[in-house]
Amino acid sequence: MRMVDIIHKKREGGALSEQEIRFWIEGYLQGEIPDYQVSALLMAIVWRGMDAQETALLTRQMAASGEQVDLRFIPGIKVDKHSTGGVGDKTTLIVGPIVAACGVPVAKMSGRGLGHTGGTLDKLEAIPGFQTTVEPERFLQIVRENGLSVIGQTHNIAPADKKLYALRDVTGTVESLPLIASSIMSKKLAAGADAILLDVKTGSGAFMKTLEESCALAQEMVSIGEQNGRRTAALITNMDVPLGYAVGNALEVREAVETLKGGGPQPLQEICLQLAANMLCLAEKGPLPHCLQLARQALESGQALKKLREMVVLQGGDASVIDDPSRLPAAPYTRQVCAANDGFIVRMDTEQCGLVSCILGAGRARKEDAIDYGAGILFSAGYGQRLQAGDPLVTLYTSRPETLQEAERLLQEAITLSPQPPAAEKLLYARVTKEGIESL
Ligand code: URA
């Protein structure tokens, strides 16, 4: 078999066979196929696409290129969750504990922030002492004991994806539905869960800006999961506004804890209950309305909060911050930004809000940058709320006072106030399963 023939075949719109995909992935990982040939193939895929079977085969091959976590010794149906990334998305910190409190084990590998979007690992590391690098045996032991553990992806999960992603990043080949879907799902398959719930964000703060694109990505990922023997469903959720009021690591942990204590912004609570209920459904805990009730009980009874607290203890963190979140790291400089005129909040450029939080220190401009855990933004008002000129809109937090002016300017630009109230905020747009798309 020759790589050049595989490139030709895809260039002409052919479907690659299992043997061809294996030849490509194994050869590339072993250094036998050079970057330039793989780049040519990736570009051909960008233009010609891949059918559902090819995409599922590619995903399986990438998942098999490294370690595959074996969760069989943990009793019950293990359900994973993946979010395509957003601003203020602290749902894993709330949903994981709710699901675990309902008796469904959650053994989750999470990622770090990327671009304007935050990452669960960075949020967890805002808790003093919390360890996200945990030996596989210990990870499984924590899940067996507590039903919940969230750690960083081990180095050897889907190494073929790591190598391909780095190449895609510099060859203009990131934007391809089969390549994005297979990249995400290869890591999910390798993480070993029996079922997967995908939270596909849509809107100005999301990777996919339109509902059509988000549904297409969700369908592609659901198809990959199902073809690889995992029950998979996706919810399309709103990322046209930041999720909750807090954006930034310690601020988001605080909001997650408040939500688990029964407070927190209502839309955040609602979306977390929906995500948890859908995970419980995938774990065969009953029909969706019943699962929603189970999730609500776990939240209201405080059982979910207990799960989070226990995970913090077992992973070496200071659990006193769960009891008293004011003990979380705080940034020394703050600035209150006020509404410039009267009106309803009708638009929040969510990507820009994410960028503001990064400028303040909550994210990284380069991979090796350190995070300022206390940095970020805390809204005083949300979408649809009416403000008068001078009312507090948001507080900026940072350890770098020189960033405050630019952050304030960008934030004012990101928020639009209008005399007319906007349409009601929609939290959920659709549920995607192997049966199709159900509008919500
Ligand atoms: N996230 C991934 O893991 N892979 C992609 O290709 C895009 C986003």
Side-chain angles (χ1 to χ4, degrees), residues 315-332:
Q315 292 185 223
D318 174 4
S320 71
V321 303
I322 305 296
D323 307 326
D324 177 8
S326 69
R327 296 171 62 101
L328 281 159

Side-chain angles (χ1 to χ4, degrees), residues 165 168 179-180 183-184 187 207:
Y165 191 87
R168 287 168 58 211
L179 293 179
I180 295 171
S183 165
I184 294 173
K187 290 166 281 204
F207 196 50

Side-chain angles (χ1 to χ4, degrees), residues 198-311:
L198 301 160
D199 177 5
V200 179
K201 306 284 186 195
T202 194
S204 64
F207 196 50
M208 296 285 166
K209 306 286 184 209
T210 70
L211 187 54
E212 291 69 33
E213 287 172 332
S214 304
C215 284
L217 178 62
Q219 279 187 298
E220 193 94 38
M221 292 196 291
V222 167
S223 155
I224 293 171
E226 292 284 346
Q227 286 192 67
N228 282 287
R230 316 292 169 96
R231 281 194 68 192
T232 310
L235 289 182
I236 312 290
T237 66
N238 186 356
M239 195 33 74
D240 241 349
V241 297
L243 195 47
Y245 280 8
V247 183
N249 301 290
L251 292 167
E252 291 191 43
V253 172
R254 186 175 184 150
E255 192 169 63
V257 170
E258 280 162 7
T259 304
L260 285 170
K261 288 181 177 170
Q266 204 271 334
L268 174 63
Q269 189 188 101
E270 191 51 39
I271 205 79
C272 288
L273 289 172
Q274 290 289 345
L275 289 166
N278 276 274
M279 286 174 76
L280 294 172
C281 225
L282 285 170
E284 296 176 6
K285 284 284 178 185
L288 198 54
H290 173 68
C291 289
L292 199 53
Q293 215 177 336
L294 290 179
R296 208 176 282 284
Q297 273 163 11
L299 184 74
E300 287 171 0
S301 65
Q303 291 303 312
L305 179 69
K306 259 174 127 171
K307 286 285 173 198
L308 177 69
R309 195 182 189 288
E310 190 59 16
M311 176 175 81

Side-chain angles (χ1 to χ4, degrees), residues 82-84 114 153 161 165 168 173-187 207 217:
H82 176 80
S83 158
T84 57
L114 193 68
Q153 196 177 291
D161 170 63
Y165 191 87
R168 287 168 58 211
T173 53
V174 168
E175 291 83 1
S176 149
L177 220 50
L179 293 179
I180 295 171
S182 57
S183 165
I184 294 173
M185 290 301 287
S186 64
K187 290 166 281 204
F207 196 50
L217 178 62

